Amino acid sequence: MQRPGDQQHAIGNRSATRVRFTRRGAASLDYVLILGSLLPLCGILLYMGRRIILLAYEMVGVAVSSPFF
């Protein structure tokens, strides 16, 4: 004969097992989502990087030389 506490414990074990099985593969999905968002950003940065550096250099030059005009 089972006690009421044993039955609840068994139900708790089954729900914990069920949660574990539903999370299977979630880490690989996270990696795919991260790579899918970071790789295009890196490509854009490589494409526009030279222009960004030149504009930053120009802004610093204007900020430094503006009192002398």
Side-chain angles (χ1 to χ4, degrees):
M1 182 169 172
Q2 289 184 346
R3 293 179 293 188
D6 291 341
Q7 186 179 10
Q8 289 175 352
H9 184 65
I11 291 171
N13 283 342
R14 276 189 282 170
S15 66
T17 305
R18 193 175 306 138
V19 169
R20 188 183 77 204
F21 287 132
T22 59
R23 291 282 301 160
R24 181 173 289 176
S28 60
L29 181 62
D30 290 341
Y31 283 123
V32 169
L33 291 174
I34 288 170
L35 288 177
S37 61
L38 287 181
L39 285 178
L41 287 175
C42 290
I44 291 169
L45 185 64
L46 286 174
Y47 178 72
M48 298 183 71
R50 179 176 162 84
R51 183 173 181 204
I52 291 170
I53 291 171
L54 289 175
L55 289 173
Y57 180 76
E58 188 176 337
M59 286 189 331
V60 169
V62 169
V64 169
S65 66
S66 62
F68 302 111
F69 282 118

